């Protein structure tokens, strides 16, 4: 296939722009030459064009993996506006709609498909993909592959492997933030040569970076002062959900228009916060790092970090949201040393204890013989082991990467059915045998509050009808409009590899080592944030160096360039635990909650680390939750074990 030498004409005709920006053209030419590429451009630099334009020229389809439905929507809309046919597949589509999308990719009427990593990882979906010639796979926000904590998505780990299974001929990885080490990991994963990695520069001259040391007691006053001096849309980042709520309320009391945003809010509350911020009805969003990715607002004037960010990468993503319109914007970081404890405690929380990994793996690996499958509910398992669901999913993803298990499907364990017509009327048109089967199926259901509950696990024992058949019968009734069906209790099915042999103890040791090395990497990232705070020279330069970009000239406008003194931490050490807090802990322990039964569980709770069991027992609204959030988790644990 030959491509027009003059890509600029195509750029003008299809996208309406006169020239490429930065390294865009180099990335595009690399891809058109049949090679994989890595685009490391700052936010707003125009990464999307790097797959949009080649997608038009390549013969087959381009798949774009994206972490957020909102990002996919924006992309599809903006492409459609340009007359480029693009589609997305997400959980809101019905099976028929999915089939339609696949068909239009197959016949070439749609060139670009956006989808989530989870969708790509689903085996039933990949079956559809076999019919399609995939000429390129783009991975947007590729740093999610190595992110940890809130942003981590275990299915991102699997993309590289899947791309090989799908025999994709070229890969494009895209991100705004990757250190040289992370970039190398991504390149290795996707087999991208270093010659095909392109940096889009880093410096954003309109961002004014500064760091201010303050004590815990000073912070609120300082925040108010900043919000009075700097006008315009502002994001205040805080570490915990609870802090975002407290601060939003505090700001409202002082007459500011502010709302909180975190992953614990209902979807309605989250959209309300986001929408009112986008249309300027809310000036200030006080948020955890859950807020921001995919927020397309050009005039954010101020980003304030009320607590230390968890990594330089995260910090760069967060401040990168300011001033996309190019106007001067302020990025202010409050530096308070004990905040690092909260960050470290989050790392402890994401790191399962060796004992809990042993329990989990022992259980999982004994659930099925080689070649056989087993079903689990990650949610229920996470509550019963008191291990975060995300951690559990990471373990499952690693087992998949080691070819020990493979996710092969899922089903629902419970159906709740409401008959829209009396059963006998529904059955009127059926042959006698079928009638009897459906009757016996319905006789096995429990009725409560006008609905019927089916426990699909037990159905076969009660009726002789297999779970799969029962599912088929009931969904057919729903499709026919005879019943209203709610499916509950998702079960994931995994199949043990027939060929991979292993020693359970070795798998366990390897898994423990993986989580430990992950944790030490994260602790190191917190230390880098501290080094950034303590810096003696131009801040944007330091950031550039962190990301392996040739250092720009001193920015001339950050606090240090403007002659500010390097930061001296204030009130570094916390006083000893006051007796009344100690009494509070003792009283809580006396209450004997199962969710706080072990010293580790109690220590996690007091350090403000959420856990599935404590959450289910609704304990996290209590005052003692996070009582010692600024104290060292391991110290607290040792104390409670004594
Ligand atoms: P990123 O993903 O790197 O954050 P986007 O791909 O969303 O950035 O692009 C940011 C903005 O720049 C978009 O509005 C896009 O349309 C615009 N843009 C991209 N490439 C060019 C170009 N060559 N000339 C002019 N505008 C461009
Ligand atoms: Mg983008």
């Amino acid at each position: 296939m030959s491509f027009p030498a003059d890509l600029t004409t195509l750029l003008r005709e299809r996208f309406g722009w006169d020239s490429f920006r930065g390294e865009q053209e180099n990335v595009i030419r690399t891809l058109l030459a049949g090679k994989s590429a890595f685009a490391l451009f700052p936010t707003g630099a125009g990464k999307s064009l790097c797959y949009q334009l080649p997608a038009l020229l390549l013969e087959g389809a381009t798949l774009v993996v994206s972490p957020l439905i909102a990002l996919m929507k924006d992309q599809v809309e903006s492409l459609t506006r340009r007359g480029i046919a693009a589609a997305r597949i997400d959980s809101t589509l019905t099976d028929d709609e999915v089939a339609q999308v696949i068909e239009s990719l197959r016949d070439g009427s749609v060139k670009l498909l956006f989808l989530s990593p989870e969708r790509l990882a689903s085996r039933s979906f990949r079956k559809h993909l076999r019919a399609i010639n995939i000429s390129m796979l783009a991975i947007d926000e590729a740093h999610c592959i190595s992110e940890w904590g809130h942003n981590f998505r275990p299915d991102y780990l699997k993309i590289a492997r899947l791309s090989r299974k799908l025999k994709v001929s070229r890969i494009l990885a895209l991100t705004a933030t990757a250190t040289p080490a992370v970039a190398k990991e991504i390149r290795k994963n996707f087999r991208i040569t270093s010659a095909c990695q392109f940096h889009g520069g880093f410096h954003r001259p309109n961002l004014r970076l500064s760091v201010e040391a303050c004590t815990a007691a000073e912070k609120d006053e300082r925040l108010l002062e900043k919000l009075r001096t700097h006008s315009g849309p502002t994001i205040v980042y805080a570490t915990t959900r609870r802090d975002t709520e407290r601060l939003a309320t505090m700001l409202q009391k002082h007459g500011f228009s502010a709302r909180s945003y975190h992953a614990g809010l209902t979807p309605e509350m989250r959209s309300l916060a986001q929408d009112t911020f986008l249309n300027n009805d809310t000036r200030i969003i006080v948020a955890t790092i859950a807020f921001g990715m995919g927020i397309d607002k050009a005039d954010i004037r101020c980003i304030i970090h009320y607590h230390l960010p968890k990594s330089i990468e995260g910090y760069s993503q967060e401040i990168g949201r300011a001033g996309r319109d190019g106007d001067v914007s302020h990025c202010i970081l409050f530096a308070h040393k004990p905040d690092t404890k909260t960050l470290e405690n989050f790392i402890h929380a994401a790191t399962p204890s060796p004992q809990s990994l042993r329990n989990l793996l022992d259980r999982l690996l004994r659930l099925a013989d080689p070649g056989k499958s087993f079903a689990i509910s990650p949610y229920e398992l996470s509550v019963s082991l008191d291990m975060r669901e995300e951690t559990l999913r990471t373990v499952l993803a690693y087992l998949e990467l080691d070819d020990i298990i493979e996710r092969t499907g899922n089903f629902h364990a419970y159906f709740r059915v409401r008959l829209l017509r009396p059963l006998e009327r529904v059955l009127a048109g059926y042959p006698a045998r079928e009638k009897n089967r459906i009757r016996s199926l319905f006789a096995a259901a429990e009725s409560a509050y006008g609905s019927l509950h089916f426990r699909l696990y037990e159905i076969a024992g009660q009726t002789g009808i297999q779970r799969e058949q029962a599912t088929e019968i009931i969904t057919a009734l729903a499709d026919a409009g005879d019943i209203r069906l709610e499916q509950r209790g998702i079960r994931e099915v995994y199949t043990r590899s027939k060929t991979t042999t292993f020693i359970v103890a070795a798998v366990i040791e390897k898994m423990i080592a993986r989580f430990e090395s992950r944790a030490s990497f994260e602790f190191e990232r917190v230390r880098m944030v501290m080094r950034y705070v303590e810096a003696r020279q131009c801040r944007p330069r330091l950031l550039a160096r962190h990301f392996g970009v040739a250092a720009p000239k001193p920015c001339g406008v950050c606090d240090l360039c403007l002659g500010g003194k390097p930061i001296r931490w204030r009130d570094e050490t916390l006083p000893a635990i006051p007796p009344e807090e100690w009494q509070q802990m003792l009283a809580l322990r006396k209450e004997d909650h199962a969710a706080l039964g072990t010293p580790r569980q109690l220590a996690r709770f007091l350090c403000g680390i959420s856990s599935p069991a404590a959450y289910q027992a609704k304990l996290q609204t209590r005052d003692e939750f996070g009582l010692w959030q600024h104290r060292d988790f391991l110290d607290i644990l040792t104390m409670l074990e004594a």
Side-chain angles (χ1 to χ4, degrees):
M1 201 189 318
S2 71
F3 299 110
D6 185 19
L7 291 174
T8 317
T9 308
L10 187 68
L11 178 70
R12 194 173 307 124
E13 283 170 2
R14 300 306 295 266
F15 295 89
W17 296 315
D18 291 330
S19 59
F20 288 102
R21 278 191 194 158
E23 298 277 352
Q24 279 177 332
E25 189 171 359
N26 285 332
V27 174
I28 292 168
R29 289 204 180 273
T30 304
L31 294 166
L32 293 179
K35 288 185 274 186
S36 295
F38 190 178
L40 261 156
F41 300 177
T43 310
K47 287 185 283 297
S48 325
L49 187 77
C50 297
Y51 55 78
Q52 291 172 340
L53 193 142
L56 298 177
L57 294 170
L58 293 171
E59 216 164 294
T62 290
L63 304 191
V64 185
V65 178
S66 174
L68 287 183
I69 291 185
L71 288 176
M72 298 187 214
K73 266 192 189 153
D74 286 352
Q75 284 280 328
V76 173
E77 277 165 22
S78 89
L79 285 165
T80 311
R81 253 184 276 122
R82 299 205 149 85
I84 297 169
R88 74 192 148 92
I89 287 194
D90 62 43
S91 49
T92 64
L93 298 195
T94 64
D95 289 350
D96 285 346
E97 287 168 325
V98 171
Q100 256 171 36
V101 170
I102 297 290
E103 181 49 29
S104 52
L105 285 163
R106 213 185 51 77
D107 69 23
S109 55
V110 168
K111 297 292 286 179
L112 283 126
L113 174 68
F114 293 82
L115 74 176
S116 67
E118 288 76 16
R119 180 66 63 151
L120 189 66
S122 126
R123 187 148 112 161
S124 60
F125 178 71
R126 283 205 312 281
K127 269 191 210 132
H128 289 302
L129 289 180
R130 276 196 219 129
I132 299 166
N133 168 20
I134 304 167
S135 48
M136 175 160 73
L137 177 69
I139 300 109
D140 204 4
E141 311 289 349
H143 60 277
C144 289
I145 291 170
S146 75
E147 266 305 316
W148 201 247
H150 299 276
N151 282 334
F152 186 62
R153 304 271 286 270
D155 281 321
Y156 255 92
L157 287 172
K158 299 187 212 156
I159 301 175
R161 229 172 103 96
L162 295 171
S163 72
R164 289 193 278 276
K165 267 198 184 158
L166 291 167
K167 302 202 169 50
V168 178
S169 42
R170 49 175 92 58
I171 304 277
L172 170 62
L174 310 132
T175 180
T177 44
T179 58
V182 168
K184 192 169 163 197
E185 189 186 325
I186 294 174
R187 284 201 319 266
K188 193 174 127 205
N189 253 303
F190 291 104
R191 303 183 179 162
I192 302 172
T193 62
S194 52
C196 295
Q197 173 173 322
F198 299 92
H199 274 280
F202 187 75
H203 189 40
R204 300 267 311 274
N206 63 317
L207 300 189
R208 305 284 148 93
L209 308 191
S210 65
V211 178
E212 297 183 17
C214 41
T215 64
E218 288 165 351
K219 276 189 182 181
D220 285 5
E221 200 45 53
R222 192 79 67 95
L223 177 63
L224 291 167
E225 177 197 313
K226 296 292 166 203
L227 292 171
R228 286 184 195 117
T229 342
H230 302 296
S231 55
T234 298
I235 306 176
V236 178
Y237 280 109
T239 304
T240 67
R241 295 173 180 188
R242 193 188 275 203
D243 283 320
T244 64
E245 288 176 5
R246 181 186 72 78
L247 287 171
T249 309
M250 189 275 288
L251 293 177
Q252 285 158 7
K253 278 197 192 124
H254 283 82
F256 287 100
S257 128
R259 281 179 192 277
S260 71
Y261 184 104
H262 57 72
L265 296 176
T266 60
E268 293 75 35
M269 289 298 285
R270 270 181 286 161
S271 346
L272 183 68
Q274 179 170 325
D275 295 345
T276 54
F277 182 62
L278 289 180
N279 66 26
N280 293 327
D281 283 337
T282 297
R283 177 187 155 202
I284 304 158
I285 292 288
V286 189
T288 62
I289 56 176
F291 184 77
M293 204 197 275
I295 298 294
D296 193 10
K297 185 167 174 66
D299 62 348
I300 298 177
R301 289 277 76 82
C302 199
I303 306 277
I304 299 176
H305 280 82
Y306 187 89
H307 295 117
L308 292 172
K310 66 174 187 143
S311 66
I312 297 290
E313 290 82 337
Y315 180 64
S316 303
Q317 291 269 352
E318 285 136 30
I319 63 173
R321 290 164 194 146
R324 294 215 188 144
D325 55 9
D327 289 353
V328 169
S329 306
H330 296 270
C331 305
I332 304 160
L333 171 60
F334 289 173
H336 173 55
K337 202 165 193 178
D339 290 346
T340 56
K341 287 293 166 227
T342 319
L343 297 171
E344 289 171 358
N345 289 346
F346 274 115
I347 302 171
H348 287 300
T351 312
S353 67
Q355 191 50 49
S356 63
L357 280 176
R358 258 179 228 121
N359 290 344
L360 170 65
L361 286 166
D362 240 6
R363 223 151 122 176
L364 285 177
L365 298 176
R366 289 183 211 293
L367 281 172
D369 292 326
K372 296 276 184 314
S373 32
F374 59 91
I376 54 168
S377 156
Y379 169 73
E380 286 172 13
L381 203 53
S382 86
V383 174
S384 78
L385 292 167
D386 201 15
M387 177 188 278
R388 292 178 160 201
E389 194 175 332
E390 182 195 87
T391 309
L392 191 95
R393 289 187 176 285
T394 308
V395 171
L396 291 166
Y398 279 135
L399 290 177
E400 283 195 76
L401 288 176
D402 287 345
D403 282 317
I404 291 172
I405 58 173
E406 188 191 0
R407 169 108 180 251
T408 45
N410 51 262
F411 63 88
H412 288 90
Y414 313 107
F415 280 0
R416 185 150 87 192
V417 166
R418 196 175 280 268
L419 278 162
L420 299 176
R421 301 189 286 147
L423 186 61
E424 287 310 314
R425 285 229 327 259
V426 170
L427 293 179
Y430 285 83
R433 239 192 93 215
E434 193 60 17
K435 249 186 215 171
N436 285 335
R437 253 158 62 94
I438 301 179
R439 270 197 206 111
S440 74
L441 186 63
F442 273 73
E446 259 168 57
S447 82
Y449 305 106
S451 312
L452 295 163
H453 295 247
F454 293 82
R455 295 173 195 281
L456 295 165
Y457 265 121
E458 292 157 20
I459 282 285
Q462 293 166 327
T463 64
I465 303 173
Q466 293 305 312
R467 179 178 57 74
E468 292 80 358
Q469 291 169 314
T471 305
E472 232 169 73
I473 294 173
I474 297 172
T475 44
L477 291 173
D479 287 345
D482 291 325
I483 59 169
R484 196 154 59 220
L485 171 62
E486 248 180 79
Q487 308 191 27
R488 293 271 172 89
I490 188 89
R491 293 290 181 275
E492 297 183 355
V493 182
Y494 290 85
T495 305
R496 260 278 298 272
S497 158
K498 257 200 284 247
T499 48
T500 312
T501 53
F502 57 85
I503 298 166
V504 176
V507 175
I508 292 174
E509 286 319 305
K510 186 172 173 192
M511 196 67 74
I512 293 173
R514 263 172 172 156
F515 277 96
E516 275 170 2
S517 85
R518 221 40 249 207
S520 45
F521 174 66
E522 290 300 314
F523 285 119
E524 180 54 28
R525 300 219 292 179
V526 174
R527 278 193 289 276
M528 302 227 248
V529 170
M530 300 185 67
R531 259 177 258 149
Y532 172 77
V533 167
E534 295 158 358
R536 300 177 163 273
Q537 50 136 311
C538 175
R539 295 196 187 276
R541 262 189 115 169
L542 267 177
L543 292 181
R545 197 176 307 146
H546 178 85
F547 290 110
V549 181
K553 283 206 263 333
C555 73
V557 290
C558 71
D559 56 343
L560 296 170
C561 282
L562 290 173
K565 291 234 160 41
I567 295 299
R568 280 258 192 78
W569 298 101
R570 319 219 349 232
D571 69 61
E572 293 189 29
T573 48
L574 285 181
I577 292 174
E580 61 277 11
E581 287 186 8
W582 190 254
Q583 288 307 323
Q584 246 179 305
M585 181 281 288
L586 290 175
L588 177 67
R589 189 155 71 176
K590 256 208 169 135
E591 291 175 29
D592 258 344
H593 297 284
L596 307 178
T598 67
R600 183 174 286 271
Q601 286 175 314
L602 188 58
R604 281 202 295 203
F605 186 81
L606 293 165
C607 288
I609 300 168
S610 66
S611 93
Y615 182 80
Q616 244 213 350
K618 299 199 166 58
L619 291 169
Q620 289 181 192
T621 50
R622 299 199 27 162
D623 285 346
E624 295 89 345
F625 180 65
L627 179 68
W628 293 336
Q629 144 184 337
H630 285 105
R631 297 184 186 270
D632 187 84
F633 172 79
L634 293 178
D635 287 351
I636 302 289
L637 180 61
T638 319
M639 222 165 54
L640 295 177
E641 277 171 343

